[in-house]
Amino acid sequence: MRTRHTKIQGFGRRFALGLVVLAGASTWSGCGGSAPDPDASREIAAKFLEEIRAGRVAAAWEGTSTEFKSLLGREGLVAYVRAHPTLKEKAPADFVSFNTAERNGIPLGECAFRTSSRKSAVKVLLARADGAWKIERLTVE
């Protein structure tokens, strides 16, 4: 019999493996372009986190990339939020920094936030998908 803790650990391993597969798939698709705008990225990431914080996971889901959706699934996002209660703190997370990165020639934007309790760092990675910047990955450290 698997415990809830074991299920969450298994979920994390599958998600990490999916990200490795995603990196290869993105390279294969030939995506590219310019780096994301810091202000627009911050706004997109903050809106995504606000939707989650307010319990509107379905609305947050709409702002994610196809890859995010296929790797995690809506139920997976709900489980991830449940496993990381800091995402639902009463006060919104504070923006800390924005960095650009490139993975396999694909420009990415990373917004870092700190939860109001200051116990967790939240990172939101954005990638260009379907002509717009969308949420590619969410991590809580």
Side-chain angles (χ1 to χ4, degrees), residues 42-80:
R42 178 181 178 177
E43 185 177 322
I44 293 166
K47 180 181 177 191
F48 174 75
L49 293 175
E50 175 57 28
E51 296 290 0
I52 289 173
R53 189 177 70 77
R56 298 185 296 263
V57 177
W61 174 259
E62 294 304 318
T64 62
S65 69
T66 302
E67 288 81 8
F68 183 101
K69 291 174 181 172
S70 67
L71 291 172
L72 190 56
R74 187 179 299 193
E75 294 77 22
L77 179 58
V78 170
Y80 191 81

Side-chain angles (χ1 to χ4, degrees), residues 73-117:
R74 187 179 299 193
E75 294 77 22
L77 179 58
V78 170
Y80 191 81
V81 170
R82 239 185 248 133
H84 297 89
T86 58
L87 291 170
K88 296 194 67 138
E89 287 183 0
K90 288 185 179 186
D94 296 320
F95 177 77
V96 175
S97 66
F98 173 79
N99 291 304
T100 58
E102 190 174 292
R103 185 182 326 136
N104 299 321
I106 301 166
L108 303 168
E110 182 183 75
C111 294
F113 295 83
R114 177 76 54 196
T115 60
S116 59
S117 65

